[in-house]
Amino acid sequence: MNSDVQIAGDPLALPHLMPPPPAHPSTVAGFAGLARAVAADRAAWSRLVRYDATSRWYRRLRTGPGYEVWLLSWVPGQGSGLHDHGRSSGVLTVLHGELTETHRTPGGAVRRRLVAGDQRVFAPGHTHEVVNDSLEPAVSLHVYFPGLTEMPFHDRRDEVSLRNSPAPARQYAPRD
């Protein structure tokens, strides 16, 4: 007896019948999904994490067409300093512990506590500060698109809306 595959041929062998795989995410939701997928693969990133008492630790996990994925660790008291990401949008996902993000809005500063599993999506020009003001280390995952080429720091004296935020040591952008 003949099977359908014997009669018609294997449809998977005909590339024009298969949709092309996406080259990379093309929407904010797609990049947030990429961050969740990387976060879910704990075995791939957890063994890489290091904690550094003198500065935030970071490692680029992967790059794709137009994006970068970074893994960062934060010991208590470490922070990013007040900064933006230039022309890059981003997704911040807390993998372990908790972080506090303070960002500027037209109505003033907004402080948000982020715990493991929380995500923040931000557009180019989003000015914020991220701090580990808890008593335990934290780990976060950051996706930037396009890849991070600049991380301008802002003078806190000019940021009246963030004046009451903690003032952690100034840190620099993750770079190779």
Side-chain angles (χ1 to χ4, degrees):
M1 180 179 275
N2 293 330
S3 72
D4 289 342
V5 172
Q6 289 172 325
I7 295 169
D10 184 358
L12 298 179
L14 304 172
H16 68 279
L17 296 177
M18 299 296 295
H24 61 84
S26 59
T27 64
V28 172
F31 282 104
L34 170 66
R36 283 191 302 277
V38 174
D41 189 5
R42 189 174 188 87
W45 59 261
S46 62
R47 62 182 169 70
L48 303 173
V49 175
R50 303 289 178 265
Y51 296 100
D52 185 332
T54 59
S55 68
R56 284 180 302 141
W57 172 90
Y58 48 85
R59 178 176 178 158
R60 187 165 53 192
L61 289 181
R62 76 167 69 161
T63 60
Y67 71 89
E68 297 178 322
V69 179
W70 290 87
L71 182 66
L72 282 76
S73 72
W74 314 69
V75 299
Q78 287 180 339
S80 64
L82 186 61
H83 67 283
D84 67 62
H85 300 96
R87 63 186 191 95
S88 298
S89 295
V91 178
L92 178 156
T93 304
V94 178
L95 303 176
H96 175 76
E98 63 182 64
L99 297 169
T100 300
E101 181 200 31
T102 305
H103 69 278
R104 180 176 46 181
T105 68
V110 174
R111 293 175 57 92
R112 180 173 293 151
R113 184 173 149 257
L114 305 169
V115 299
D118 287 348
Q119 277 190 319
R120 287 282 293 138
V121 175
F122 50 87
H126 175 76
T127 300
H128 70 160
E129 180 173 44
V130 180
V131 177
N132 179 356
D133 56 9
S134 75
L135 298 176
E136 300 293 327
V139 179
S140 59
L141 182 81
H142 303 247
V143 178
Y144 299 107
F145 50 98
L148 194 61
T149 58
E150 61 180 316
M151 191 168 142
F153 286 91
H154 296 263
D155 188 337
R156 296 184 63 75
R157 291 173 294 184
D158 296 335
E159 297 293 329
V160 174
S161 64
L162 294 177
R163 200 165 292 226
N164 294 325
S165 300
R170 184 172 292 247
Q171 301 292 322
Y172 298 96
R175 299 192 195 268
D176 281 356

